[in-house]
Amino acid sequence: MITSVPSTLLIGLVEERLNDEDCVQRGWILDGIPETREQALMIQTRGIIPRHVIVLSAPDMVLIERNLGKRVDPLTGEIYHTTFDWPPASEVQGRLVEPPGISELETAQKLLEYHRNIVRVLPSFPKVLKVISADQPCVDVFYQALTYVQTSHRSNAPFTPRVLLCGSVGSGKSLQAALLAQKYGLVNVCCGQLLKEAVAENSRYGRDLQPFFEKEIAVPDSIVGKVLGQRLGRRDCTQKGWVLHGFPRDLDQAHLLDHLGYKPNRVFFLNVPLDSIIERLTLRRTDPVTGERYHLMYKPPPTLEIQARLLQNPKDAEERVQLKMDLFYRNSAELEKFYRQAVAVNGDQDPYTVFEHLESGIIHPLPNKVL
């Protein structure tokens, strides 16, 4: 029996492969994933942002007929087709076998599942999506796809965006940063992830960070500022712009960022009520067997057996979440005064509704606040 690979594990493997040197230098083509909206959001939060997304579309009957004609050479693994690609050698013809799972009923069931999911996946890639008809010669399909991937998306932003997202833990900063990075080609800079990468790479600043990570204590602002300044000073951030989240968290850090010369030209505060944050975080669970992540309200486990073995991350305990929220509330008032032109956004709604508000704040002039 073939079981599906958990999304968390699958995307972790994809992320590991895309971080290899050849993918970084030459680019990559991702096929077969994401299959669901959950996977689409998951790859975006991990910074996997495609520049072009192509959907190959054809009538179901055409796809079913194509699938029924597939044959596989068990010796070489080569795939043939009874109509479009039949091998000339009689020896090869004689050993071809029909692969499992291609019957009309099985193919129709797969197509039904695809249609259910694709309508929820497509909104995850606004402005970079193109649908190409696959019901035409493959050469024509190829050249249409090639023409599209050779185009450069033009940003609607009238300036180089330097976006700062402020918000409490669980407010959705990571997802919104990924969406903005995808839409406008910005560099997604997560301060916490940046520090972890510096330690993992054993860089000069990483060695300074190591003792604080080992003792699980706060890293001094002076070291954080050096790591952050080094990243924001790179050419990609200068040319494309950036979206920063996870820093600053208090007034001193805001002054430090300003002193380093990295002043955001758009600042958003994602406001989410305490009850919603508690609900979002304290109900998160992880399956220690598969690594799959669940939420007891939004994504409950499929069976009682799985539910019984789920574990909660200690950082998601209500007491720790409440402590982080209290700290955020104490500092947010001063940050809002420092960033006088900041825009407050209701983060307690659908992620794409939140994104529309953020996008509007980027492409439109800043509002004049009445003192």
Side-chain angles (χ1 to χ4, degrees):
M1 178 180 177
I2 300 176
T3 58
S4 59
V5 178
S7 295
T8 304
L9 176 59
L10 179 60
I11 292 174
L13 293 172
V14 171
E15 182 181 23
E16 183 178 339
R17 179 65 183 92
L18 297 186
N19 284 330
D20 287 347
E21 185 177 355
D22 57 345
C23 288
V24 173
Q25 293 184 348
R26 298 166 57 191
W28 43 264
I29 300 176
L30 193 57
D31 174 33
I33 190 170
E35 294 183 329
T36 64
R37 182 172 183 269
E38 177 198 10
Q39 290 181 351
L41 297 179
M42 196 177 296
I43 68 172
Q44 289 174 334
T45 56
R46 296 196 180 198
I48 302 173
I49 310 296
R51 295 180 182 175
H52 302 83
V53 176
I54 295 175
V55 177
L56 300 180
S57 178
D60 285 356
M61 289 308 301
V62 172
L63 297 176
I64 291 174
E65 291 175 3
R66 288 182 181 179
N67 219 30
L68 290 174
K70 284 183 180 179
R71 296 296 183 269
V72 177
D73 184 340
L75 189 62
T76 65
E78 192 75 21
I79 298 177
Y80 296 94
H81 196 278
T82 55
T83 303
F84 306 114
D85 186 23
W86 192 244
S90 57
E91 178 185 357
V92 177
Q93 295 176 9
R95 64 173 183 250
L96 295 184
V97 297
E98 181 179 306
I102 67 167
S103 70
E104 184 172 351
L105 178 60
E106 290 172 304
T107 303
Q109 289 175 337
K110 293 176 182 177
L111 286 171
L112 179 61
E113 185 68 18
Y114 167 79
H115 290 309
R116 286 173 177 167
N117 286 312
I118 193 64
V119 294
R120 302 180 70 237
V121 171
L122 299 187
S124 302
F125 303 100
K127 305 297 183 182
V128 297
L129 180 70
K130 183 175 180 62
V131 179
I132 297 177
S133 171
D135 189 17
Q136 54 183 323
C138 60
V139 174
D140 294 337
V141 175
F142 169 75
Y143 279 109
Q144 289 180 38
L146 179 63
T147 300
Y148 178 61
V149 299
Q150 289 177 333
T151 62
S152 297
H153 300 300
R154 188 173 182 180
S155 173
N156 292 324
F159 55 92
T160 301
R162 300 188 300 274
V163 182
L164 174 61
L165 297 182
C166 298
S168 67
V169 58
S171 61
K173 299 187 298 295
S174 296
L175 175 56
Q176 296 303 325
L179 293 174
L180 288 171
Q182 173 184 284
K183 177 67 177 289
Y184 293 102
L186 309 181
V187 179
N188 187 349
V189 182
C190 172
C191 186
Q193 184 63 31
L194 200 62
L195 299 181
K196 292 178 183 177
E197 291 174 357
V199 173
E201 294 168 0
N202 196 30
S203 64
R204 176 163 60 94
Y205 294 133
R207 289 188 288 273
D208 295 335
L209 292 165
Q210 186 70 42
F212 299 98
F213 272 65
E214 291 176 349
K215 297 176 182 178
E216 296 184 353
I217 58 178
V219 179
D221 290 348
S222 58
I223 301 179
V224 177
K226 292 177 181 178
V227 178
L228 191 59
Q230 183 185 53
R231 182 65 188 93
L232 296 179
R234 292 183 187 174
R235 179 179 298 180
D236 57 349
C237 286
T238 303
Q239 294 180 342
K240 298 179 180 179
W242 42 262
V243 51
L244 171 65
H245 51 112
F247 190 96
R249 296 184 177 182
D250 56 40
L251 185 59
D252 289 340
Q253 292 182 350
H255 281 296
L256 174 60
L257 185 65
D258 190 69
H259 177 71
L260 291 172
Y262 300 107
K263 299 181 180 181
N265 47 31
R266 290 295 186 272
V267 180
F268 299 96
F269 281 83
L270 300 180
N271 296 329
V272 181
L274 174 60
D275 291 346
S276 296
I277 295 292
I278 295 293
E279 182 181 276
R280 289 183 182 185
L281 300 185
T282 61
L283 298 181
R284 296 193 300 195
R285 298 291 186 273
T286 302
D287 186 341
V289 176
T290 64
E292 187 76 11
R293 296 178 181 178
Y294 296 96
H295 191 281
L296 298 184
M297 180 174 293
Y298 304 127
K299 185 193 171 186
T303 67
L304 292 176
E305 178 186 359
I306 295 177
Q307 182 173 343
R309 68 179 186 234
L310 296 183
L311 298 176
Q312 182 187 47
N313 191 315
K315 71 178 182 180
D316 289 338
E318 185 168 349
E319 298 79 13
R320 296 185 65 172
V321 173
Q322 180 74 58
L323 185 64
K324 291 179 181 179
M325 289 296 295
D326 291 342
L327 183 61
F328 170 76
Y329 287 139
R330 286 200 299 268
N331 293 320
S332 61
E334 291 183 330
L335 283 175
E336 289 178 10
K337 289 181 180 178
F338 184 82
Y339 295 113
R340 292 184 177 275
Q341 293 297 321
V343 177
V345 177
N346 176 16
D348 192 21
Q349 48 188 333
D350 179 82
Y352 290 100
T353 303
V354 176
F355 175 72
E356 289 175 0
H357 286 292
L358 298 180
E359 183 179 29
S360 176
I362 289 177
I363 63 177
H364 294 150
L366 287 172
N368 292 321
K369 294 190 175 182
V370 179
L371 298 179

